[in-house]
Amino acid sequence: MKLEIARGLFLAGALAVASLALVVWEQPRTQVLSAAEGEHCPLPRVAKVSAAAKPDHDLLLFMFGLTQGLKPQS
């Protein structure tokens, strides 16, 4: 196979892969979220609704301790 033919096939293959990647590229569109009633934004489709979330006091105490440890010892 001649070098020119191989180079042309490679270029055609690279262009095919690039155009296929461009076709399947999906990005979210810019849109305004609004709620028809109430003040809260709607939940995403993948979010699961569960019982009301309660803070973990041990975790809050741990985070407070970490922030206190970052202060200088003066």
Side-chain angles (χ1 to χ4, degrees), residues 24-33 45:
V24 299
W25 186 278
E26 183 179 334
Q27 288 186 345
R29 296 186 187 121
T30 305
Q31 57 185 350
V32 176
L33 297 176
R45 289 178 287 172

Side-chain angles (χ1 to χ4, degrees), residues 64-74:
F64 178 73
L66 287 176
T67 58
Q68 295 301 311
L70 296 176
K71 291 184 179 180
Q73 302 281 335
S74 59

Side-chain angles (χ1 to χ4, degrees), residues 2-69:
K2 288 188 169 185
L3 183 60
E4 293 83 15
I5 295 172
R7 188 178 297 155
L9 287 175
F10 177 75
L11 179 63
L15 288 175
V17 168
S19 61
L20 181 64
L22 182 66
V23 168
V24 299
W25 186 278
E26 183 179 334
Q27 288 186 345
R29 296 186 187 121
T30 305
Q31 57 185 350
V32 176
L33 297 176
S34 63
E37 50 199 54
E39 301 173 0
H40 302 288
C41 292
L43 287 175
R45 289 178 287 172
V46 295
K48 295 181 181 179
V49 179
S50 62
K54 296 180 183 176
D56 185 6
H57 295 290
D58 293 335
L59 179 62
L60 292 175
L61 185 60
F62 175 69
M63 291 175 62
F64 178 73
L66 287 176
T67 58
Q68 295 301 311

